[in-house]
Amino acid sequence: MRRFLRPGHDPVRERLKRDLFQFNKTVEHGFPHQPSALGYSPFLRLMAIGTRSGAIKLYGAPGVEFMGLHEENNTVMQIHFIPDQCQLVTLLDDNSLHLWSLKQHGGTSELREEHRFTLKGPPGSPPSATQVTAVLPHSSREVLYLGTESGNIFVAELPSFRVLEDRTITPEAVLQRIPEDNCNRRSCELVEALREHPKNPDQILIGYSRGLIVLWDLQNNKATHHFLGSQQLENLYWQRDGSKFISCHYDGSYSQWPVSSDNRQSEPLENTVPYGPFPCKAISKIYWQTTKNGLPYIIFQGGMPRASYGDRHSISVIHGSQQTAFDFTSRVIDFFIIFSSDPAAEFDDPSALVVLAEEELVVIDLKSAGWPAVHPPYLASLHCSAITCSHHVSNIPLKLWERIISAGSKQNIHYSSMPWPIDGGTNIAPDPPQRDLLLTGHEDGTVRFWDASGVCLHLLYKLSTVRVFLTDADPNDNMNTLGEDEWPPLRKVGTFDPYSDDPRLGIQKIYLCKYSGYLAVAGTAGQVLVMELNDEDAEHMVDHAEADLLQDQEGYRWKGHEKLKTRDGPVRFEAGFQPFVLVQCQPPAVVTSLALHSEWRLVAFGTSHGFGLFDHQQKRLVFVKCTLHPSDQLALEGPLSRVKSLKKSLRQSFRRIRRSRVSSRKRRGGGGNVSEVQEANAKFDHDVLQEMELAPVQRKIEARSAEDSFTGFVRTLYFADTFLRDSSRHCPSLWAGTNGGTVYAFCLRVPPAERRMDEPVRAEQAKEIQLMHRAPVVGILVLDGRSTPLPEPLEVAHDLSKSPDMQGSHQLLVVSEEQFKVFTLPKVSSKLKLKLTALEGCRVRKVTVANFGSCKTDDYSENDLAVLTNLGDIQIISLPFLKLQIRYPCIRKEDVSGIASCVFTKYGQGFYLISPSEFERFSLSTKWLVEPRCIVDMPEVTSNNHVHKSDTENAARNSSPGDCGEDERKSGRLMEHALLNDEKVLKEIQSTLEGGR
């Protein structure tokens, strides 16, 4: 009965677990999914982005990030910062307004929702009466002006959102001051824009959808000027001195309107259709920026000719004779200009154009010749081509890091050298303790190298495998080249390009050796490329080799896609990782597993048909092994033929159910009369109930049939130097695990270094293990004599790990979807197992070894298994005793793509996709935690509205300031202390007390 007893509670271990493990979702990397609104504060130099799911994200200097989430999960329609305040207002599509504040707490700033409010009309009024269409935060910081569909403009007090009904600007009040022959009641329907006069805060410009524009005097509550446009109004913009404003219209035109003191009604100075004379799309937003040289910058969205360019997403910049229409590959959400915010400045002098498109953020440098793009330090468009796989490498050596950065800098020469213009706030997070790389493989055949050391996921280098193959598109094509006389002057900007020339180029597996600089990349059409890092451009031949995984077996015919055609002759490659050998699997199925051993110069690869080993030093195929079962016809249909297998899958499912029912009947009815059987069953049930009180519930694992499809699918490959033949001699080995629960082990004979090029690498199959439950094998690991996982190749040679213990006996850990099992080596006898599916009802999807350090002391750390299940839970399991340490819910079980995309790091962190464009970062360790820690100081506003930094700003940053209330309490205590030290004040208090007595 001892095996049924639960282990006792160990308080020392429980305390240690608290020092080792802690789950936190720390930061979201990448570009917000489905952005819907944009805001900017020149005062704080912060940018805000709202999304369709109700999220709001603030960004400043690199590392300065804040996130909030509306409870309603409605689309954010508009974002407006309150002038000269650490506050902003959001408008949602349910017509609710929300006030957010940046407050300091515990040494950092936090984004908090303060108030919410929904504008309500009188009883019986239609929804349009209070449907907010325009929001204007007044410079007094006391009120919001809310324009509506009905033409009413309501005034809401801040921060309470109390509506000041006596200050409402009604259409009737506006029409009283306008001649009847010029407009009617419908002219004042739907407020399209509200703009405050730049020099006189008592005046606001009101733009109505039908073209009427009114200058309203807030003090006298009357219209001082009115302007009649002939086209539907889209937006308004004041010039800096307030003498003119610009209106843009639905027909693709914009107009300049003078504002003079003597004329109450004005005609436009100029009406321009920049891309006429043919019908054009609406100009939805416009800026008119003044400069010292007298030539203004005119920047507007839209306005393209409808017939030929109506599908383009463009923003045009005109400066004198220069004109460029920046062409984006996704819809433009909004944009703003960064210019001089000093009210005393005479000119705008714009420096940067910031554009939020649906799939990326693009910043254009307006100061440099040619208006180049600025390389963003965050908000990277991860999904510029769809992500197909990920690979994380921890603790990159400095030399390799510098070489990767150098290769990336040569790719970025066309970017502007301008510092990042959105630089508000201060990042107070400690510097990352090490350099980490996240590599993402993409559908277009590229691999991107990201700096994943800190809060900002920054692109270092992009590798393309396309040059090796012949595709429809020429890689030398330049999308930006334009003829001199081409009109409109379109120029492609941004990196988002969701279209792949050939889906077979997609990257499926990546393996980087950080010590040798070797990189292996495998793709959708069975291509395996081995690369090495070169600091210079080079032109050379790429050696080819074929690996026939079917080994000419009869009766099999591949029905999927063809292999990619390769280029003949030398190929020119940029500095960086350059391929020197290509291994082509036949049939050209998706590569499902990949392993690289840079010390032995070997690369192993597996598909749904089998696996092979290639010597990339001698450029020779060592061996291939076919893993196909006779029933694995589905594996030959390719990834595009899955629909054909639906009937077969259903048929197999019903067969399994029928088999299990028949076998259960046989067990119940096998011999004896009915009464004896019932009595035996009752006794058995009683015994089971007794056992259930002592041990966790175990479900029976139904053994899978060998006829199940894809049993030969190779799930994992692993190199190890261990004892495979006998306990006296260890040798290199290759292990492979399949979808059918089979583990193959091959002994390898690798010649010594001096004879490495003369003698071939030899391989011989030594073991074949068949798991009884036939569950897919997702991980293989060898533990040395100290029960420590074997070090990575070259890790010992670089003095970064202890040499493995080759004196004690080694152990083999095989992780299947349903259980963990430890075998002794070399006999491969079962020693220990943990039935995960039987106990938890879940299946293993990802597993890795992670090192967890104590947050209390630097002297203790341990290796454990980090496991992700199909339910989205993360479990930490101890090595080598396979004890469950802790469980955390991480990903929704319905989020299949998120679970499939998860990648663990070596030190207890992880990443998974929460959308096609965003990684969620999480930590399982108390010691390794990467999260935003930043502070936004309130700049002082002088009487003439000049903005400058506080004198005590640096001291505040270094001394971990508290929130505003804490500062007030501190100042109150200081004043109290000063008063009590004043002798005169003390005498007055004493006389008052005596008089009272």
Side-chain angles (χ1 to χ4, degrees):
M1 291 294 291
R2 184 177 298 172
R3 69 190 182 94
F4 293 112
L5 294 174
R6 289 181 175 177
H9 181 75
D10 184 357
V12 176
R13 181 61 189 172
E14 292 299 316
R15 192 162 53 248
L16 183 59
K17 281 159 63 173
R18 287 195 295 272
D19 295 343
L20 293 172
F21 312 123
Q22 183 181 5
F23 178 74
N24 290 287
K25 291 186 178 180
T26 55
V27 66
E28 292 176 2
H29 296 302
F31 185 77
H33 185 49
Q34 296 181 327
S36 55
L38 177 69
Y40 178 69
S41 170
F43 175 71
L44 300 174
R45 299 185 72 82
L46 294 179
M47 172 181 65
I49 295 176
T51 71
R52 291 189 203 171
S53 59
I56 178 170
K57 301 184 178 187
L58 270 63
Y59 300 93
V64 177
E65 295 184 15
F66 304 94
M67 180 177 172
L69 186 64
H70 296 88
E71 289 182 8
E72 296 80 359
N73 288 347
N74 288 78
T75 299
V76 180
M77 302 299 292
Q78 296 183 36
I79 302 173
H80 300 273
F81 281 87
I82 308 300
D84 303 340
Q85 294 290 305
C86 292
Q87 291 181 314
L88 64 153
V89 172
T90 56
L91 171 67
L92 306 190
D93 65 349
D94 64 353
N95 207 40
S96 62
L97 289 156
H98 302 254
L99 179 66
W100 299 79
S101 295
L102 280 170
K103 293 203 169 179
Q104 293 180 18
H105 176 72
T108 61
S109 296
E110 296 178 354
L111 182 64
R112 299 178 184 171
E113 186 176 358
E114 299 287 331
H115 297 285
R116 64 185 62 190
F117 162 73
T118 301
L119 188 62
K120 290 185 171 63
S125 61
S128 62
T130 54
Q131 183 67 45
V132 177
T133 55
V135 179
L136 172 64
H138 195 261
S139 60
S140 65
R141 306 186 290 278
E142 296 174 354
V143 292
L144 283 178
Y145 289 90
L146 307 174
T148 63
E149 277 189 10
S150 62
N152 289 298
I153 299 168
F154 297 92
V155 184
E157 195 176 46
L158 287 175
S160 63
F161 281 128
R162 182 172 66 91
V163 177
L164 307 176
E165 296 183 3
D166 58 324
R167 295 174 63 177
T168 301
I169 304 172
T170 64
E172 290 75 19
V174 172
L175 289 170
Q176 284 178 2
R177 296 282 179 170
I178 299 172
E180 291 183 6
D181 55 342
N182 285 348
C183 56
N184 53 36
R185 174 66 181 82
R186 297 192 66 185
S187 301
C188 292
E189 287 181 356
L190 204 155
V191 179
E192 199 71 60
L194 293 171
R195 298 286 180 265
E196 182 180 335
H197 195 290
K199 298 297 183 184
N200 184 359
D202 291 332
Q203 291 183 336
I204 62 171
L205 199 62
I206 307 170
Y208 296 95
S209 176
R210 288 183 172 269
L212 174 64
I213 305 167
V214 173
L215 187 62
W216 188 262
D217 187 339
L218 299 173
Q219 287 289 339
N220 301 311
N221 205 28
K222 67 175 185 178
T224 60
H225 296 73
H226 68 275
F227 313 86
L228 291 173
S230 59
Q231 294 291 334
Q232 181 178 319
L233 180 70
E234 292 290 323
N235 221 317
L236 297 170
Y237 185 79
W238 277 108
Q239 289 192 19
R240 191 178 187 89
D241 60 1
S243 63
K244 293 188 284 290
F245 68 87
I246 316 297
S247 64
C248 54
H249 301 274
Y250 182 76
D251 66 341
S253 67
Y254 65 85
S255 303
Q256 286 190 73
W257 302 84
V259 180
S260 57
S261 56
D262 51 349
N263 285 333
R264 292 185 63 247
Q265 178 179 350
S266 299
E267 295 294 328
L269 287 175
E270 184 183 2
N271 188 49
T272 307
V273 183
Y275 295 112
F278 301 106
C280 295
K281 294 194 73 176
I283 295 179
S284 55
K285 189 173 182 178
I286 192 165
Y287 279 82
W288 184 289
Q289 301 278 283
T290 56
T291 60
K292 292 175 183 175
N293 65 8
L295 294 173
Y297 278 87
I298 306 166
I299 304 168
F300 56 88
Q301 177 184 345
M304 284 283 128
R306 282 186 181 276
S308 305
Y309 300 93
D311 59 341
R312 299 298 181 100
H313 314 290
S314 68
I315 290 180
S316 299
V317 180
I318 303 172
H319 178 60
S321 60
Q322 284 182 276
Q323 181 167 348
T324 300
F326 293 104
D327 188 13
F328 300 85
T329 52
S330 59
R331 184 172 63 92
V332 173
I333 303 298
D334 201 354
F335 74 99
F336 62 84
I337 308 297
I338 297 178
F339 56 91
S340 174
S341 58
D342 185 354
E346 188 177 352
F347 303 102
D348 293 307
D349 284 328
S351 58
L353 162 66
V354 182
V355 183
L356 176 67
E358 201 165 34
E359 304 292 354
E360 61 186 329
L361 183 83
V362 178
V363 178
I364 305 296
D365 178 4
L366 297 177
K367 289 286 189 184
S368 302
W371 300 331
V374 182
H375 195 55
Y378 49 72
L379 284 175
S381 183
L382 298 176
H383 64 315
C384 44
S385 174
I387 295 176
T388 49
C389 65
S390 304
H391 176 66
H392 188 275
V393 188
S394 299
N395 208 3
I396 302 292
L398 179 60
K399 187 175 181 181
L400 177 64
W401 186 263
E402 290 174 342
R403 293 177 70 189
I404 291 173
I405 290 176
S406 174
S409 64
K410 293 176 182 177
Q411 295 177 338
N412 296 332
I413 55 174
H414 59 281
Y415 280 106
S416 168
S417 59
M418 174 188 203
W420 185 244
I422 305 164
D423 55 1
T426 306
N427 178 20
I428 59 173
D431 292 333
Q434 62 184 31
R435 295 168 293 274
D436 289 353
L437 273 179
L438 179 66
L439 281 69
T440 54
H442 297 265
E443 192 180 41
D444 63 353
T446 58
V447 178
R448 284 170 168 80
F449 290 64
W450 305 92
D451 177 1
S453 313
V455 172
C456 296
L457 195 68
H458 181 61
L459 181 64
L460 298 178
Y461 165 69
K462 184 180 83 169
L463 161 71
S464 177
T465 62
V466 179
R467 287 184 178 273
V468 181
F469 306 103
L470 287 169
T471 59
D472 294 336
D474 186 348
N476 296 316
D477 284 349
N478 188 355
M479 298 290 289
N480 292 333
T481 54
L482 286 174
E484 292 182 5
D485 301 326
E486 187 162 338
W487 187 261
L490 290 163
R491 189 174 107 198
K492 286 272 187 193
V493 285
T495 59
F496 179 71
D497 183 11
Y499 306 108
S500 173
D501 298 327
D502 193 326
R504 295 174 296 172
L505 290 168
I507 306 298
Q508 297 297 328
K509 295 291 174 183
I510 306 169
Y511 198 104
L512 171 67
C513 175
K514 60 186 177 183
Y515 303 112
S516 65
Y518 282 113
L519 172 70
V521 171
T524 303
Q527 70 271 30
V528 180
L529 286 164
V530 186
M531 313 184 189
E532 59 184 344
L533 192 55
N534 190 344
D535 297 328
E536 302 295 334
D537 294 2
E539 186 172 357
H540 59 255
M541 293 281 294
V542 177
D543 290 291
H544 298 173
E546 283 212 352
D548 182 10
L549 296 174
L550 293 181
Q551 297 174 311
D552 299 324
Q553 295 191 31
E554 296 182 1
Y556 292 102
R557 188 169 63 86
W558 172 246
K559 303 173 186 175
H561 50 240
E562 296 180 354
K563 69 175 184 179
L564 285 161
K565 294 179 181 178
T566 55
R567 292 181 182 272
D568 297 326
V571 182
R572 183 158 190 82
F573 298 101
E574 297 176 340
F577 286 94
Q578 298 173 353
F580 61 89
V581 67
L582 165 67
V583 183
Q584 178 62 56
C585 298
Q586 288 289 9
V590 174
V591 177
T592 57
S593 53
L594 186 69
L596 177 72
H597 200 293
S598 49
E599 190 172 359
W600 302 337
R601 306 293 176 91
L602 299 174
V603 60
F605 48 89
T607 71
S608 54
H609 307 119
F611 61 96
L613 181 67
F614 186 81
D615 178 354
H616 65 77
Q617 184 165 359
Q618 292 189 9
K619 298 174 183 174
R620 170 183 166 274
L621 189 66
V622 180
F623 78 90
V624 291
K625 170 72 176 177
C626 181
T627 56
L628 274 179
H629 188 273
S631 66
D632 267 353
Q633 289 297 325
L634 185 58
L636 293 163
E637 293 180 1
L640 305 178
S641 306
R642 301 283 170 85
V643 180
K644 300 175 185 177
S645 66
L646 181 59
K647 291 181 181 178
K648 185 175 180 181
S649 300
L650 289 171
R651 191 161 55 244
Q652 289 172 343
S653 300
F654 283 122
R655 281 177 184 168
R656 278 198 296 270
I657 294 168
R658 193 157 51 243
R659 277 199 301 269
S660 63
R661 285 176 178 171
V662 170
S663 60
S664 63
R665 284 198 205 101
K666 286 179 180 177
R667 284 194 297 272
R668 286 198 299 270
N673 58 34
V674 175
S675 61
E676 287 176 353
V677 172
Q678 288 177 344
E679 186 179 343
N681 285 343
K683 184 177 184 302
F684 176 76
D685 290 343
H686 177 71
D687 293 343
V688 169
L689 286 172
Q690 281 189 329
E691 289 181 5
M692 285 173 65
E693 293 173 2
L694 295 171
V697 177
Q698 289 199 9
R699 298 168 177 80
K700 177 170 174 54
I701 298 178
E702 184 74 34
R704 305 186 188 200
S705 168
E707 296 178 1
D708 287 354
S709 294
F710 281 112
T711 55
F713 186 114
V714 180
R715 293 285 291 269
T716 183
L717 291 163
Y718 177 70
F719 286 107
D721 187 357
T722 187
F723 301 93
L724 197 53
R725 293 194 179 278
D726 54 58
S727 56
S728 60
R729 289 179 301 169
H730 58 88
C731 66
S733 62
L734 172 65
W735 301 76
T738 72
N739 220 40
T742 306
V743 177
Y744 300 95
F746 281 76
C747 276
L748 306 177
R749 184 188 171 279
V750 182
E754 62 272 12
R755 299 196 304 273
R756 184 65 179 82
M757 289 300 293
D758 302 326
E759 299 179 13
V761 175
R762 300 192 182 279
E764 183 181 354
Q765 184 169 338
K767 307 284 183 186
E768 182 174 336
I769 308 166
Q770 179 61 61
L771 302 179
M772 295 299 291
H773 58 294
R774 297 183 182 274
V777 177
V778 295
I780 298 173
L781 185 68
V782 172
L783 306 176
D784 69 4
R786 292 187 295 264
S787 298
T788 302
L790 295 181
E792 294 179 19
L794 296 176
E795 194 171 13
V796 176
H798 285 76
D799 297 327
L800 295 171
S801 175
K802 292 181 180 178
S803 297
D805 184 351
M806 293 298 187
Q807 304 302 317
S809 59
H810 285 197
Q811 301 172 78
L812 170 69
L813 171 63
V814 177
V815 181
S816 75
E817 282 190 354
E818 298 176 357
Q819 71 179 22
F820 301 77
K821 198 163 187 177
V822 176
F823 299 88
T824 59
L825 287 175
K827 291 184 178 179
V828 194
S829 56
S830 179
K831 180 180 179 181
L832 185 67
K833 66 181 174 183
L834 171 64
K835 297 179 181 178
L836 188 73
T837 301
L839 295 174
E840 310 294 339
C842 56
R843 297 180 186 275
V844 177
R845 286 290 176 258
K846 304 276 182 174
V847 62
T848 195
V849 177
N851 183 268
F852 293 93
S854 171
C855 62
K856 297 290 179 64
T857 174
D858 293 333
D859 299 332
Y860 183 80
S861 66
E862 65 180 43
N863 292 308
D864 297 288
L865 289 176
V867 179
L868 175 68
T869 72
N870 63 327
L871 302 180
D873 293 337
I874 291 179
Q875 303 185 12
I876 298 174
I877 296 171
S878 66
L879 285 174
F881 301 112
L882 301 183
K883 299 292 184 186
L884 178 63
Q885 299 300 297
I886 203 157
R887 181 191 298 109
Y888 301 111
C890 180
I891 311 173
R892 293 181 302 108
K893 64 180 180 181
E894 298 84 9
D895 187 4
V896 178
S897 60
I899 293 171
S901 66
C902 183
V903 57
F904 289 107
T905 77
K906 193 177 178 182
Y907 295 98
Q909 296 185 69
F911 303 82
Y912 69 93
L913 288 171
I914 53 175
S915 74
S917 59
E918 289 172 291
F919 274 114
E920 176 83 70
R921 187 178 193 137
F922 62 87
S923 175
L924 306 170
S925 170
T926 56
K927 190 173 181 180
W928 298 91
L929 196 66
V930 175
E931 61 180 351
R933 286 185 58 80
C934 44
I935 190 166
V936 176
D937 291 313
M938 180 76 171
E940 290 183 2
V941 183
T942 58
S943 57
N944 61 353
N945 287 333
H946 285 206
V947 179
H948 62 87
K949 296 286 184 181
S950 168
D951 294 335
T952 60
E953 182 182 29
N954 294 327
R957 289 174 183 168
N958 297 328
S959 62
S960 299
D963 58 14
C964 297
E966 194 172 313
D967 292 338
E968 289 171 7
R969 287 194 294 273
K970 286 180 182 176
S971 61
R973 287 196 293 270
L974 288 170
M975 190 177 290
E976 181 184 352
H977 180 72
L979 288 171
L980 291 176
N981 284 335
D982 191 323
E983 189 176 349
K984 184 178 179 182
V985 173
L986 287 172
K987 285 180 179 179
E988 287 181 5
I989 294 171
Q990 185 178 0
S991 63
T992 304
L993 290 172
E994 289 173 353
R997 281 198 297 272

